[in-house]
Amino acid sequence: MSVDEGDSARAERMAFLLGLRQRGLRDVAVLRAMEVVPRPLFVDPQFREHAYEDVALPISCGQSMSQPSLVAKMTEALNVTAEHAVLEVGTGSGYQAAVLAQLASRVVTVDRYRTLVSQAQARFDVLGLRNLVAYVGDGLLGQPARAPFDRIMVTASAEEIPSPLIEQLRFGGVLVMPLGLQDEEQSLVRFVRQQSGDVCTEIARVRFVPLIAGAAATL
Ligand code: SAH
């Protein structure tokens, strides 16, 4: 018996979720968030057939979106709950921010490219996500006007955690970010800001595009 397109799309989504579980995702709330946010909406049309594969994909402005299992791992490591205000640096496609918005009270995401921010905001509007706003800006400076944040996720690498981000993180707050050199393997860290002394642990080896200072002059 042949299945119609609706059924095959559903089957693809089920396989996607099963794949995330097989790659180690255990957090039910994160799994649910990734079930709810349709990754195809965030993928450029030419790559849409790969939307449910566990691969990083190119997006506009020469950037890329992470593979879903890494989005899952980073989201799980951030331990977001419904009371949290979250900052994401590196909006890109908007996919990671939309997943965070399922878990948090409110999410602010910032990217240096106007093109990416307006595409992402249009996707948030399609999904009716009212607790999520995208801004153009330099994420190295954080978002002082909207700080403090309970959680911060940075989806581009730097050699060290930018100090404005630490200052904008509440005590007890968690920041997840790749640290290391551009074009080399980097260390994905989970940083907890504590009055008694910050704690930083490695959770994976990764490769991300670098943070570049300043909002982009073009695009
Ligand atoms: N989280 C995204 C992928 C991010 S790719 C997603 O889910 O699709 C990394 C992003 O970081 C790129 O879009 C890049 O433009 C952005 N970026 C690099 N330097 C930045 C900076 N200084 N401030 C804000 N965004 C920056």
Side-chain angles (χ1 to χ4, degrees), residues 161 166-167 169-173 190-201:
I161 303 174
I166 298 179
E167 284 153 22
L169 186 63
R170 269 189 219 284
F171 284 108
R190 181 179 195 274
F191 170 92
V192 185
R193 186 179 192 202
Q194 281 172 352
Q195 246 142 356
S196 55
D198 304 332
V199 179
C200 196
T201 45

Side-chain angles (χ1 to χ4, degrees), residues 29 33 75 78-87 96-108 129-132 149-151:
T75 307
L78 206 60
N79 287 123
V80 180
T81 68
E83 304 78 49
H84 287 160
V86 180
L87 170 67
Q96 172 73 77
V99 170
L100 291 169
Q102 303 299 321
L103 301 162
S105 166
R106 64 183 180 90
V107 178
V108 173
L129 295 173
R130 299 196 190 291
N131 64 337
L132 168 54
F149 298 98
D150 302 288
R151 297 288 185 267

Side-chain angles (χ1 to χ4, degrees), residues 42 59-61 63-66 71 88-97 109-113 116 135 137-141 153-157 208-215:
F42 294 84
I59 57 173
S60 306
C61 305
Q63 305 301 310
S64 65
M65 61 193 293
S66 300
V71 171
E88 184 203 25
V89 175
T91 310
S93 67
Y95 179 68
Q96 172 73 77
T109 179
V110 56
D111 203 288
R112 59 191 299 277
Y113 287 106
L116 292 174
Y135 295 99
D138 184 358
L140 284 165
L141 307 175
M153 184 182 288
V154 186
T155 56
S157 68
F208 275 80
V209 296
L211 282 171
I212 297 169

